[in-house]
Amino acid sequence: MIGQLRSTVIDCPDPRALAGFYSELLGLPLIGDNSDDDEWVVLGGPPGHQPRLAFQRALDLRPPAWPDPARPQQFHLDVTVDDIEAAEQAALALGARRLPGEGEGFRVYADPAGHPFCLCWD
């Protein structure tokens, strides 16, 4: 092993707002001492503890346009849920939106900045 995953970093126009969305969606706390105003915001635990999500300001972000291959998803998170209907309603209430695409055990959504993510169930 060369190293350990520190954080998954997501570029977005408003790091604090998108961190708030994912904090509610995943139940991850804001790490104030690892955050830098509105340029860099971190959720989760200390370095080396997972999961950790970081949000970095990117003012000229061209968000993915799922499922358009000209603007691919770039990355996505799979979020396991017990009740897809309740989870979908809660995610939509936070500002997510449903995207085309679903399969056996998953549905595709976009976060408020346009990044795709999936709600998954067994």
Side-chain angles (χ1 to χ4, degrees):
M1 173 176 67
I2 294 175
Q4 294 179 324
L5 178 65
R6 179 181 181 93
S7 301
T8 299
V9 181
I10 301 172
D11 288 352
C12 57
D14 187 344
R16 191 152 302 275
L18 195 57
F21 171 84
Y22 279 105
S23 177
E24 290 292 325
L25 183 71
L26 301 173
L28 294 174
L30 173 72
I31 306 173
D33 59 344
N34 285 168
S35 298
D36 180 19
D37 297 321
D38 293 328
E39 298 294 319
W40 179 264
V41 179
V42 180
L43 300 178
H49 293 84
Q50 298 301 323
R52 272 176 60 98
L53 288 176
F55 303 87
Q56 165 176 276
R57 185 181 301 277
L59 294 176
D60 296 325
L61 177 75
R62 287 190 63 222
W66 173 270
D68 181 359
R71 289 178 49 201
Q73 64 184 340
Q74 302 166 8
F75 89 98
H76 78 276
L77 300 176
D78 286 342
V79 179
T80 300
V81 299
D82 291 327
D83 179 342
I84 183 57
E85 301 305 330
E88 177 176 273
Q89 291 308 308
L92 295 174
L94 289 173
R97 69 181 194 284
R98 186 82 187 270
L99 294 178
E102 65 180 271
E104 185 68 30
F106 73 93
R107 291 183 189 165
V108 183
Y109 303 83
D111 69 23
H115 302 102
F117 70 95
C118 294
L119 294 180
C120 306
W121 64 95
D122 293 326

